[in-house]
Amino acid sequence: RGTRHDMDRRWILYALAFVVTSSVSGVVYGWPALRRDLLHEGGLTENELGAVFTCGAWSVQGGRFLVGLARDKYGTRNTVVTCLAMVCVGSVLIATSGSGNLAGMCFGMLFLGMGSGAQLCVQPVASLFPEATLTAMASLSGAFQLSGLVFLVCSQVGNTGAKRVGAYLGHAVLVSVLLGVSVKVFPKGVSFTEEVNTDNEGTGDPGSHNTKGGDMERGIGIGDGDAAPVAAVDVSLQTLHVSSPNQALLTVPTHALPPAPAPTTRLVSPAAHFGKPRSALFASDEFLALAVWFSVMVTPSQYYVLSIGYQLERMGDDTGRFTTAFGLIYGGSAPLAPLAGLLCDKCGVGFAQLVATALSATGFAFLFIDDLNSQYFGMACYSVGRMMLFATFFANVGRRFGYAHYGSLVGTGMLTSAICSMTQYPGYQLALSGDTELKNVNAVCFALTMSCVPYCVWLGRRERSEWRAFREASATGV
């Protein structure tokens, strides 16, 4: 149902989305490398450095609420271009501010964090890959993780003679180039499928999509804005692709389906929230629970990045070798991102979120071991867990609620997590006061992550209950 041009177009869109995400979306989380450079330059205290990171981390989370609303109202292209322009401003400020200029550094990180919202705008490109939507979505979360290497690369470039000013101005130039390409390539509206299927629009071709007022996934229609009813499933295809915790349910042969319904008949999608009005999505128990899980998990996750450099130094990392290793491990976990999507496809988002929760908790557990070499494993668990934390959050929204109101839903989750994660800074201030306080804060972070396990179990059970009902309905022809 797609032409060769459609196929080429979707890969161009995906490639640009990946490059944009890996260049700007999670730059502030490479903080340990920039922190060490600023410490060497002198001028800012450990408390002030904590404030600098908090500005960036907060704007990454909270700024996406505004970016999500802007994307839904003004379209992908305009919002992405605005975000990339803010990243350019942030990089220039980091490059040109003196090492003792607290305000300049704070605003630089603030703009970098606000501009990271470009990721949210480009994630719906995953809807162009109906055969592997969650895998495509998760790969963009891997690109988010990869962007954490930007500070480390800039640090290495700066140490070769370019200095901080040259390294970060170079990053600003790169982002400027991406801004120019984005103007030409990304769609004006919120829909990527509309852009790919422009040639078919209004021709009566069954592959065409009317995406006015909201996104539509291929094979699953979201409809127009809040007025959308439950999702429709196209049973004219050779196979019906559905998301399931069981691989056997992924493809249902046509002969196993009931007779094709009349055009006005609609079959209920296994994702029970597809097609509901935005107000109903926000009020659903599942979205509220997801927002709480994400907010509780993000708070200790942010604190880990803020404090890991200091904690490694307290353990004896005088040369910065382990701080550099953290940056490499953090960015190096990016290739595992598609596995997070695969886990969502095979086992459901509830189970994948449980794995993310357990890995994050393991990272904090290893901080209680006062041995630098043991931290390699702890940092690896944290890095993969953090990657899966964001990957499964985005995948959950896409799979369980659809893309019609994706920006608003994700933005709201990011805003609530931003508000909660503000506690990372007073927590860090407390940790700086002594070894006992440092261990107590780590213990609180470990307890917070473990408190999220019951939610993941609840969600997994709900998914399996839905799929049992769906399988029984398919078998009886209801």
Side-chain angles (χ1 to χ4, degrees), residues 378-389:
M379 291 187 295
C381 287
Y382 165 80
S383 297
V384 177
R386 182 187 176 88
M387 177 270 294
M388 291 190 64
L389 166 64

Side-chain angles (χ1 to χ4, degrees), residues 116-316:
S116 72
Q119 179 196 13
L120 186 151
C121 301
V122 302
Q123 277 179 320
V125 74
S127 63
L128 298 179
F129 301 86
E131 70 281 6
T133 299
L134 294 190
T135 301
M137 179 79 76
S139 68
L140 293 178
S141 292
F144 173 90
Q145 201 87 348
L146 194 62
S147 66
L149 290 173
V150 169
F151 279 174
L152 183 59
V153 171
C154 287
S155 177
Q156 297 300 316
V157 171
N159 292 335
T160 62
K163 297 185 179 181
R164 175 158 53 90
V165 62
Y168 286 92
L169 285 179
H171 179 247
V173 171
L174 170 64
V175 175
S176 298
V177 172
L178 290 176
L179 189 155
V181 176
S182 298
V183 171
K184 296 290 186 181
V185 176
F186 282 132
K188 291 182 179 179
V190 298
S191 174
F192 280 83
T193 54
E194 177 184 52
E195 190 77 5
V196 169
N197 292 287
T198 299
D199 292 340
N200 292 329
E201 187 172 348
T203 64
D205 190 305
S208 63
H209 297 267
N210 175 15
T211 54
K212 180 181 179 181
D215 247 337
M216 291 186 69
E217 295 90 58
R218 291 186 175 188
I220 298 180
I222 299 302
D224 296 335
D226 287 348
V230 296
V233 179
D234 183 357
V235 296
S236 65
L237 302 178
Q238 289 299 312
T239 58
L240 171 64
H241 293 282
V242 295
S243 302
S244 169
N246 186 329
Q247 176 63 26
L249 292 176
L250 282 174
T251 304
V252 182
T254 303
H255 62 74
L257 295 172
T264 57
T265 303
R266 294 199 178 255
L267 301 179
V268 177
S269 167
H273 302 288
F274 270 37
K276 289 184 178 179
R278 179 165 52 188
S279 58
L281 297 182
F282 278 114
S284 67
D285 61 344
E286 193 169 316
F287 178 74
L288 293 174
L290 174 64
V292 170
W293 171 80
F294 188 63
S295 298
V296 172
M297 288 294 297
V298 162
T299 300
S301 184
Q302 302 286 64
Y303 168 79
Y304 190 100
V305 177
L306 170 60
S307 67
I308 188 61
Y310 173 75
Q311 297 204 54
L312 291 173
E313 289 166 5
R314 293 295 292 263
M315 294 179 189

Side-chain angles (χ1 to χ4, degrees), residues 293 340 343-344 347-357 388 392 456 463:
W293 171 80
L343 195 62
C344 291
C347 305
V349 290
F351 181 78
Q353 289 175 236
L354 177 63
V355 173
T357 301
M388 291 190 64
T392 54
C456 300
E463 286 184 291

